[in-house]
Amino acid sequence: MSTDTAPPRSTEAAGSPGPVPVSPLSLWAGDVATVTWRNLIKFRRNPEILLFAVLQPIMFVLLFSQVYGGSIQIEGGNYTDYLMAGIFGQTVLFGSTFSGYQMAQDLKEGMIDRFRTLPMHDSAVLFGRTNADLVLNGVSVVIMMISGAVVGWRFHEGWLSFLAGVGILLLFSYAFSWVMALLGIIVRTPEVINNASFMILFPLTFISNAFVQTDNLPRALEVFANWNPISALVQAVRELFGNTGAAPTPDTFPMQNPILTTVAMSLLMLAVFVPLAVNRFRQASSR
Amino acid sequence: MAIIEAHDLRKTYHSRSGDVHALAGLSLTVPEGTVKGLLGPNGAGKTTTVKVLNTLLRPDSGTATVAGVDVLHDPEGVRRVIGASGQYAAVDEHLTGRENLEMVGRLYHLGGSRSRERAKELLEQFDLTGAGDRPVKGFSGGMRRRIDLACALVNNPQILFLDEPTTGLDPRSRLGLWDVIKDLVAQGTTVLLTTQYLEEADYLADDISVIDHGTVIAEGTADELKAQVGGHRVVVTLVDSADADAARAVLERHGTDDVQQDTGGRTLSVPVTEGPGALQHVLADLASADVRLHDAGMRRPTLDDVFLRLTGREQADDTASELEESA
C-alpha cells in the first residue's frame, strides 16, 4: 500500500528540450491551426467531398431555374434571382452537417483517442473541425455563385452589401457547424448523422421561402415558413443581394427583420453550442 | 521504484442488459524500465485499464499515478510523459506518414522545425522513409502499425502504452514490431502492453498480470505462471490413428494424470513428473510395441494452459502450442 508521498518531479527531465514558455492562448491557437490544417488536407486530397457538397445544389439551380423558372412569377423580379439566395442557404446548411459526420467519423476511427492522449487543448479539436468546414462552405458558396451567374443570377445592391450577404451566410454556417459537431459527438455513427440531418433539413428548407414565396403555401405551412429560421437566413441574403422582388414581405418578426434575426440566432447558437460541444467532447472517448 | 501504480480501480458501465463491471478493484504496479503484459480474455478489462492510465477514461473510483503524476488530478501532466498506441491504428489515413508525425509533434508543442526534424528521425528509425510521403491510406497493416507506434514516440515518452499492438498482423510484421519494442525497452522505456497473444506476452513482458472480470487474478513472470500449472507433458503424434489404443496404454503407464487425445485422434499427451526420462521410456515402449511416430516431444506448459487453468476458459485466439524439442 503505497501512498504517493511526493515523489520528486523527475518527469519533466524526460523527452526533448522543453519548448520555450509560450502564452496559453498562443498554444491554443497553435493547436487549432494544426487541427484545421489536418482537416483541410483531407479536403484537398478528396475533392469528391466538395463535389458532393455542390452537386445537389447545382442540380437544384438547373432544375428550378430551367424547369420552374418560366412558370413561377416573382413580382418585380425574376425567379432565378429570387431562387439563388435559397440555394446559397441550402448549400451552407447541408455543408455544415459535414462537421457532425466528420466528428463521428473521427471518434469511430480512434483519431479522437489519439488527440486525447496528447497534451493539447481539447477544444482545439472542435475549433479545428468547424474552421475547416467554414472553409469548405466558403468554397461551396463561391462555386454556387458562379453557377448562379451562369444561369443569369446577379446581385443588385453593390459590393458592400454583397459581402455582407456572404458574411451572414458564413456566420450562420459556422454556428450551425457547432450544432452538428455536438450531434456528431453524441450520435457517434456517421451514417446516422447523414441520414437524420437529411430527413430533418430537407423538409425544413422546402417549407421555407427558399424556393417559393410563402404566400403560395397552405395556411399552416405559410405560418411555419414565415417563422422558419431558414427563411430568415434566406430573406436576409435576398435583401442584401437585392433579389427580393417587389412582393410585400410577410408580416412576422423574422421576415421583417431578417438580418437582425439571423445574426442574433447565429450568435445564440454559438453561445449555447460551443460550450456544450466542448464539454461533451471532454467526456467522449471511443469505446 | 514503481513508475505506474494503480490502486483499486473501479469502473462500471450501465447498459440495458445490466451493469458491466469493466474494472472491479484492479490494482497494478509497474517498475521503471520493465515491460508489463496485461493478459486476459476479451472483455476482461485490459483496454479499460490502459484507458484509465493514459487519461482517456475516468474511473468511478480508485487512484492511479503515472511517473508520479496523478492521473485523475493532472491528466495533462501525464500526457506529456506518455505515448499511446491503440488497438486499431489511430493515424489519419488522408495524411501522409510524415504529416501524421508532424501533426503529433506540433500538438506536443515542439514547434514547427523540431516537429519536422522529429518526423524525419522517426521515419528513418521505423524504416518508412520511402513511404513517408504517401497517404497512410495506401499503407499495409504492418506499416500502419509502425507509423502508429512512431506517433506514440514523438515526444520520447518515458512510458509507452501499447494496446494490442500486433492484433491482425501477419507473423513477419509482428516479429518486426516486436524487435522495435524490444529496442525501446533496451533504451529504458517502460511499457504497459495488453495482448491477446500469449506468445507475445511471453516474448516481450518481464512480468505478466492475468486479468479477468476486471481484477488481476494472477501475477508473475511467464515462467512463474507456467510453474503454477505444473511440469512437463509428453506429446506424441501417430502416423496411424489405429495405433491410438496401444499408444494410450504406454502413456498411461508413464504419466501422472489422464491422457489427452486431440480430436483427430493422432496426437496424445500426458503430464509426467520427470520430463526427459519419461520421454525416453515412452519412446522405448512405443518402439517395442511397433507404434510408428510422426512426431514426439516434450512440452512445457504454455500460457494457454495457464490461461485455461486460471480463467476456466480457452483463449479466444488459439495460438499454436509451442512444441519444445527434447534436447
Side-chain angles (χ1 to χ4, degrees):
Chain A
M1 271 196 32
S2 58
T3 46
D4 49 339
T5 38
R9 292 289 152 114
S10 58
T11 63
E12 301 297 327
S16 46
V20 202
V22 217
S23 80
L25 187 67
S26 70
L27 280 182
W28 176 81
D31 290 349
V32 172
T34 303
V35 179
T36 308
W37 166 82
R38 171 241 167 186
N39 293 332
L40 288 176
I41 287 182
K42 176 167 180 179
F43 291 151
R44 216 185 61 205
R45 302 237 160 98
N46 300 274
E48 68 272 13
I49 295 173
L50 180 65
L51 189 70
F52 281 115
V54 296
L55 212 58
Q56 187 193 308
I58 287 179
M59 200 173 71
F60 271 47
V61 170
L62 294 176
L63 286 176
F64 278 77
S65 72
Q66 303 306 309
V67 179
Y68 297 143
S71 45
I72 300 179
Q73 300 302 317
I74 302 293
E75 255 176 82
N78 73 69
Y79 182 62
T80 300
D81 267 6
Y82 183 84
L83 170 71
M84 284 314 294
I87 296 287
F88 299 143
Q90 183 204 26
T91 304
V92 297
L93 190 69
F94 280 92
S96 300
T97 63
F98 194 73
S99 297
Y101 175 82
Q102 201 55 48
M103 278 310 296
Q105 187 80 14
D106 278 350
L107 272 165
K108 191 173 124 187
E109 286 175 354
M111 258 332 273
I112 299 299
D113 273 359
R114 162 73 69 206
F115 286 137
R116 285 169 46 94
T117 59
L118 301 176
M120 63 186 287
H121 204 289
D122 288 334
S123 69
V125 176
L126 289 155
F127 278 98
R129 174 79 267 143
T130 50
N131 282 355
D133 297 341
L134 180 64
V135 173
L136 180 73
N137 262 326
V139 176
S140 304
V141 165
V142 169
I143 294 177
M144 291 320 300
M145 286 180 168
I146 294 168
S147 318
V150 169
V151 294
W153 165 76
R154 298 290 182 270
F155 59 91
H156 306 285
E157 296 290 321
W159 282 96
L160 217 60
S161 188
F162 168 73
L163 290 177
V166 174
I168 222 167
L169 276 169
L170 295 182
L171 172 68
F172 176 87
S173 82
Y174 185 70
F176 192 63
S177 268
W178 279 93
V179 180
M180 290 308 301
L182 174 66
L183 279 178
I185 301 169
I186 294 171
V187 175
R188 287 161 168 266
T189 317
E191 294 74 21
V192 171
I193 285 279
N194 248 7
N195 296 338
S197 49
F198 191 77
M199 271 171 56
I200 295 165
L201 297 181
F202 214 69
L204 213 58
T205 50
F206 269 82
I207 311 170
S208 80
N209 63 356
F211 310 118
V212 291
Q213 287 174 312
T214 54
D215 56 2
N216 295 329
L217 296 170
R219 180 69 193 141
L221 293 186
E222 184 188 347
V223 173
F224 180 85
N226 286 336
W227 286 93
N228 187 343
I230 311 289
S231 297
L233 170 69
V234 171
Q235 184 68 18
V237 175
R238 211 165 258 159
E239 278 186 11
L240 288 164
F241 290 174
N243 294 148
T244 51
T249 313
D251 193 21
T252 60
F253 182 84
M255 288 296 97
Q256 291 292 330
N257 308 282
I259 298 174
L260 175 69
T261 305
T262 307
V263 171
M265 180 174 69
S266 302
L267 295 180
L268 186 70
M269 275 197 278
L270 288 172
V272 172
F273 287 96
V274 172
L276 223 54
V278 170
N279 192 41
R280 184 74 196 199
F281 179 79
R282 294 215 169 101
Q283 300 159 22
S285 143
S286 83
R287 274 156 269 212
Chain B
M1 195 202 124
I3 196 160
I4 300 176
E5 283 200 71
H7 185 67
D8 201 24
L9 294 176
R10 286 169 194 278
K11 178 83 190 175
T12 303
Y13 289 107
H14 307 282
S15 73
R16 269 172 232 133
S17 47
D19 288 356
V20 180
H21 301 285
L23 295 178
L26 185 138
S27 299
L28 199 66
T29 325
V30 184
E32 187 162 1
T34 65
V35 181
K36 167 75 104 180
L38 296 186
L39 202 63
N42 281 329
K46 299 178 307 249
T47 300
T48 311
T49 307
V50 170
K51 282 191 165 182
V52 166
L53 293 173
N54 68 18
T55 76
L56 284 176
L57 205 64
R58 280 185 79 87
D60 298 333
S61 68
T63 55
T65 58
V66 169
V69 183
D70 192 308
V71 173
L72 291 172
H73 295 123
D74 186 10
E76 218 184 293
V78 172
R79 290 175 196 178
R80 276 190 215 107
V81 294
I82 63 164
S85 182
Q87 227 173 94
Y88 32 81
V91 285
D92 193 321
E93 301 212 303
H94 304 280
L95 267 53
T96 66
R98 189 186 303 278
E99 286 164 346
N100 266 294
L101 291 166
E102 277 183 36
M103 175 180 76
V104 171
R106 284 168 195 273
L107 294 175
Y108 272 115
H109 307 134
L110 299 182
S113 58
R114 180 77 193 106
S115 297
R116 275 190 295 275
E117 254 173 64
R118 188 73 186 122
K120 190 163 173 279
E121 285 167 24
L122 284 164
L123 287 174
E124 277 163 18
Q125 187 186 337
F126 281 81
D127 209 12
L128 287 167
T129 309
D133 291 312
R134 293 210 309 264
V136 171
K137 215 189 320 193
F139 280 25
S140 69
M143 284 159 70
R144 225 175 246 247
R145 291 306 170 95
R146 271 185 284 158
I147 201 77
D148 186 57
L149 184 54
C151 282
L153 297 175
V154 166
N155 64 330
N156 290 313
Q158 278 179 281
I159 300 151
L160 193 58
F161 293 96
L162 299 175
D163 191 17
E164 302 195 3
T166 65
T167 298
L169 288 188
D170 60 70
R172 178 202 283 262
S173 307
R174 178 175 303 157
L175 288 174
L177 211 58
W178 283 359
D179 283 345
V180 173
I181 296 168
K182 279 268 186 196
D183 279 351
L184 291 169
V185 175
Q187 289 159 33
T189 312
T190 305
V191 177
L192 182 66
L193 167 91
T194 78
T195 182
Q196 295 257 12
Y197 301 111
L198 304 156
E199 49 180 319
E200 184 163 282
D202 207 352
Y203 182 76
L204 288 175
D206 299 307
D207 221 6
I208 296 169
S209 295
V210 183
I211 295 183
D212 200 20
H213 301 301
T215 55
V216 175
I217 56 169
E219 257 177 325
T221 63
D223 287 336
E224 283 166 4
L225 290 175
K226 288 174 187 170
Q228 286 184 18
V229 181
H232 292 98
R233 298 183 76 92
V234 164
V235 187
V236 297
T237 305
L238 309 175
V239 171
D240 187 350
S241 56
D243 292 332
D245 288 338
R248 175 180 282 273
V250 171
L251 288 176
E252 264 166 4
R253 210 156 49 235
H254 297 283
T256 57
D257 205 345
D258 293 343
V259 174
Q260 279 179 10
Q261 194 167 357
D262 77 347
T263 42
R266 285 175 49 214
T267 301
L268 298 96
S269 72
V270 73
V272 295
T273 39
E274 196 260 308
L279 181 64
Q280 282 172 337
H281 289 124
V282 166
L283 289 177
D285 287 2
L286 287 174
S288 56
D290 222 10
V291 174
R292 286 188 305 146
L293 294 178
H294 199 71
D295 197 3
M298 205 174 68
R299 183 166 77 89
R300 293 201 305 150
T302 63
L303 281 172
D304 276 306
D305 300 324
V306 175
F307 219 87
L308 196 60
R309 173 76 168 268
L310 289 170
T311 66
R313 52 204 144 124
E314 202 103 34
Q315 175 70 357
D317 232 317
D318 217 346
T319 46
S321 59
E322 310 156 88
L323 266 176
E324 251 191 10
E325 301 287 339
S326 54

